[in-house]
Amino acid sequence: MNKIRIVLLGFLTFFSLELFSQEIVEPPLESFDAYDFCKAKTVYAAILKNKPYDSMLNFRYGECLFEIGEFAQAYKPLELASKKIPQAYLYLGDLKMKEYKFQEALGLYKTGLSHLQPNELGVEQFQQKIEMVAKAEHMLKAIQEIEIVDSMFVGKTDFFKHYMLGRECGEIFVQRASLDSLIKTPYTGFITERDDRKIFSDTIDGKCDLFIQNRLLDGWSDVTPLSATVNSKGNENFPFLQQDGVTLYYCSDGPLSIGGYDILVTRSNPEGSGYFMPENVGMPFNSPFNDYLMAIDEVHGMGWFATDRYQPKDSVVIYRFKYSRERNYLDVDDKEEALEYAKLKKYKLLTQETDVNAQFEDGLRTSTRKVDTMSFIINDTLIYSSVNDFKSEQAKSTYIKAVEYDENISGLKKQLSYLRGTYSQSPNKAEKDKLMYDIVEKEQELRKLESEPNPYYVDARNQEIRKIEEQGTQESQPNLYDF
């Protein structure tokens, strides 16, 4: 976040409060230093009642709405502000980027740039945005085809704790909690499985960079920043070192990003202490939103990453996918269909092609995946770790129904999250009305399922116990032909 913008935001709020609204209680300036755009939004909304067409007030109000993720509501004040304030086109273009309307974004960035003199403040930002569009368009031509294993919606503050990495992959840890009241993601670090090297993020002068330490005989080496090829002009965070000890994944909102944090990959240079030039891992892993923390388990062929695209402010969705060293690219001629894959609104789930609204409809397929790694207590001495442990076919079938029941609830929650995210960003009233109907319908269905406990687990356990007792009785019968 630009420090000048934050200071200006506080100053303008103070000025506006004094000038236009003596009845509003002035918030302390330190709240703006903490990026508290939520409070600022309330203040500007109140002031705008008296000055509804003031360009600067609309610009600041639209900026606050953008920063807290209320994108659909940000359009109107920013469009009004753009008549006199060229910088509003930066946000308008960013809004189009988040809709994947890259050419429309490009037009807005160019329009804003045309209103500035060559050496005027803001020219460099517009030029960077124009380059960003070119990168995004290039990515659309090479969308990786990935196979999603599963996904979950979690809070931002400790999302990586849901990555089920084996110990041999090393460990992700919190370097320190984020002080940013909006982003709420922590500064993370990574330590190798042998505990001999750690790479972590931290801030110097308000900028987040990556640092490294190596274990020595008497402790850890001095903290050293990674090379300038990794630490860009932007912020770097969320490092993960692959098991080869060479491949480093991390996130940056610097020059290689197409918006927010993007996942980058680089490799250490065997002939020196630095790293090769990083590259953006591309779509669908990255987006114009924030994309976080790629982690790879080569032993089990699994990978994880997180994203806040289409999510509430404090949430992310974690995707687990099948990892392969070889990159396969999507072969789709229809541009709109390709966009659906880029947005992760459509993807391959296991070996079946599906979209986000249908991903949990095939309960048996999903359930079979879940029961392969289950832990189901039969009695005090017997725990099943696989569906094939069942002696009773009836109990096995009932257990699969139990998992299906849970997956239906999980699937409904995911669909609701997606629908709510789409609703919050849709500028179209008719579409929002339709989405609201779908949301209410899904909420009622979810309440009905959650109102009663899962009826199948107990039945499966009782059926299996009866089968075991029957087998025990049969085995205890004397064999008349056994002399």
Side-chain angles (χ1 to χ4, degrees):
M1 182 62 62
N2 190 317
K3 281 189 173 181
I4 296 175
R5 187 198 301 172
I6 300 302
V7 174
L8 184 59
L9 178 61
F11 170 76
L12 284 170
T13 301
F14 171 77
F15 174 77
S16 302
L17 289 171
E18 289 292 310
L19 188 60
F20 300 124
S21 183
Q22 298 295 331
E23 296 180 0
I24 301 173
V25 178
E26 177 191 339
L29 288 179
E30 58 265 26
S31 68
F32 296 105
D33 293 333
Y35 303 173
D36 198 344
F37 287 94
C38 294
K39 290 182 180 178
K41 182 196 82 167
T42 303
V43 171
Y44 282 120
I47 299 170
L48 278 167
K49 290 180 180 179
N50 297 323
K51 287 276 190 174
Y53 300 107
D54 184 282
S55 297
M56 181 55 74
L57 290 175
N58 274 283
F59 175 62
R60 293 303 177 191
Y61 180 55
E63 179 183 37
C64 291
L65 291 168
F66 180 92
E67 295 294 346
I68 63 176
E70 295 182 9
F71 301 126
Q73 293 84 351
Y75 268 106
K76 185 176 178 180
L78 288 170
E79 284 178 339
L80 195 154
S82 68
K83 296 175 182 178
K84 292 186 178 180
I85 301 175
Q87 283 76 13
Y89 285 101
L90 284 170
Y91 285 102
L92 289 170
D94 286 353
L95 288 169
K96 290 298 181 182
M97 286 291 293
K98 291 184 183 299
E99 296 177 6
Y100 286 73
K101 296 178 179 178
F102 299 144
Q103 286 303 310
E104 291 184 37
L106 180 62
L108 289 164
Y109 293 142
K110 287 184 174 180
T111 300
L113 181 61
S114 69
H115 285 81
L116 298 176
Q117 297 300 316
N119 296 322
E120 196 171 346
L121 182 67
V123 168
E124 185 178 357
Q125 279 184 289
F126 277 111
Q127 291 172 338
Q128 290 171 349
K129 294 290 187 180
I130 290 169
E131 292 174 4
M132 182 179 71
V133 173
K135 289 194 284 281
E137 289 281 9
H138 178 73
M139 287 184 193
L140 277 178
K141 297 175 183 177
I143 302 169
Q144 285 193 55
E145 187 176 51
I146 62 174
E147 196 169 11
I148 300 296
V149 179
D150 54 27
S151 59
M152 67 173 68
F153 297 82
V154 300
K156 279 187 177 181
T157 52
D158 59 355
F159 69 92
F160 63 89
K161 292 181 180 178
H162 299 275
Y163 289 23
M164 306 304 290
L165 290 166
R167 183 66 184 91
E168 66 275 7
C169 298
E171 184 180 354
I172 303 166
F173 63 90
V174 175
Q175 171 66 11
R176 66 182 177 87
S178 173
L179 300 178
D180 191 321
S181 62
L182 280 175
I183 297 176
K184 292 189 177 180
T185 52
Y187 299 95
T188 68
F190 173 83
I191 188 165
T192 59
E193 185 246 343
R194 294 189 298 175
D195 293 334
D196 62 350
R197 187 170 19 160
K198 58 183 176 181
I199 301 173
F200 56 91
S201 60
D202 213 334
T203 54
I204 295 179
D205 298 328
K207 179 182 173 301
C208 190
D209 282 334
L210 294 182
F211 301 85
I212 188 169
Q213 281 185 287
N214 295 300
R215 187 178 289 280
L216 306 176
L217 292 175
D218 58 348
W220 289 95
S221 66
D222 293 337
V223 174
T224 305
L226 265 61
S227 65
T229 56
V230 172
N231 288 326
S232 70
K233 294 180 180 179
N235 296 289
E236 280 70 43
N237 199 352
F238 311 110
F240 180 86
L241 189 64
Q242 208 163 318
Q243 290 161 270
D244 59 11
V246 173
T247 306
L248 175 67
Y249 291 95
Y250 67 100
C251 296
S252 174
D253 63 3
L256 294 178
S257 167
I258 60 168
Y261 274 117
D262 270 17
I263 302 166
L264 308 183
V265 62
T266 183
R267 290 166 181 82
S268 58
N269 187 345
E271 298 180 0
S273 59
Y275 288 82
F276 290 112
M277 188 61 65
E279 60 178 293
N280 191 304
V281 299
M283 297 178 182
F285 301 109
N286 287 323
S287 71
F289 297 83
N290 289 299
D291 305 289
Y292 305 110
L293 191 52
M294 178 84 80
I296 303 297
D297 183 342
E298 288 188 274
V299 173
H300 300 98
M302 288 292 157
W304 290 260
F305 72 100
T307 179
D308 66 9
R309 67 189 85 170
Y310 314 114
Q311 299 305 308
K313 183 182 66 174
D314 298 334
S315 301
V316 298
V317 55
I318 296 172
Y319 290 98
R320 182 161 64 109
F321 63 97
K322 284 190 175 181
Y323 169 73
S324 172
R325 287 180 177 272
E326 295 182 5
R327 294 185 180 182
N328 297 313
Y329 293 95
L330 194 65
D331 184 16
V332 174
D333 293 328
D334 184 79
K335 187 174 181 179
E336 290 303 316
E337 186 178 5
L339 278 173
E340 293 296 290
Y341 280 100
K343 296 175 182 179
L344 279 174
K345 289 186 175 181
K346 191 172 187 178
Y347 50 75
K348 285 189 175 181
L349 179 63
L350 294 180
T351 58
Q352 298 292 322
E353 189 174 26
T354 185
D355 61 37
V356 84
N357 290 321
Q359 59 183 305
F360 292 102
E361 288 181 3
D362 189 347
L364 181 60
R365 185 183 71 237
T366 305
S367 301
T368 302
R369 170 168 51 81
K370 293 291 185 183
V371 299
D372 284 342
T373 56
M374 71 190 206
S375 179
F376 185 56
I377 298 173
I378 301 298
N379 55 37
D380 293 338
T381 61
L382 193 59
I383 300 176
Y384 287 176
S385 60
S386 169
V387 70
N388 295 322
D389 292 340
F390 280 100
K391 308 292 189 298
S392 166
E393 287 298 321
Q394 184 183 11
K396 177 180 177 180
S397 176
T398 304
Y399 181 83
I400 289 175
K401 288 180 181 179
V403 176
E404 288 177 22
Y405 190 94
D406 285 344
E407 287 293 347
N408 284 335
I409 292 175
S410 177
L412 279 170
K413 288 179 178 178
K414 292 180 180 183
Q415 290 179 33
L416 269 171
S417 179
Y418 169 77
L419 289 169
R420 287 166 180 156
T422 305
Y423 177 87
S424 68
Q425 295 188 43
S426 174
N428 185 290
K429 185 179 184 303
E431 182 183 14
K432 293 187 83 162
D433 290 343
K434 171 65 169 60
L435 286 167
M436 179 54 70
Y437 176 83
D438 291 340
I439 288 170
V440 170
E441 186 178 51
K442 297 292 183 188
E443 285 176 339
Q444 291 174 345
E445 189 176 350
L446 180 61
R447 281 195 295 269
K448 182 179 179 181
L449 281 174
E450 290 185 324
S451 64
E452 298 180 2
N454 190 322
Y456 297 107
Y457 285 120
V458 173
D459 287 347
R461 183 176 293 108
N462 291 336
Q463 290 163 0
E464 183 67 6
I465 289 172
R466 284 196 296 270
K467 183 68 174 181
I468 292 170
E469 290 175 347
E470 288 174 6
Q471 289 182 343
T473 302
Q474 292 171 0
E475 290 173 0
S476 65
Q477 297 294 324
N479 189 340
L480 301 178
Y481 301 95
D482 187 10
F483 297 101

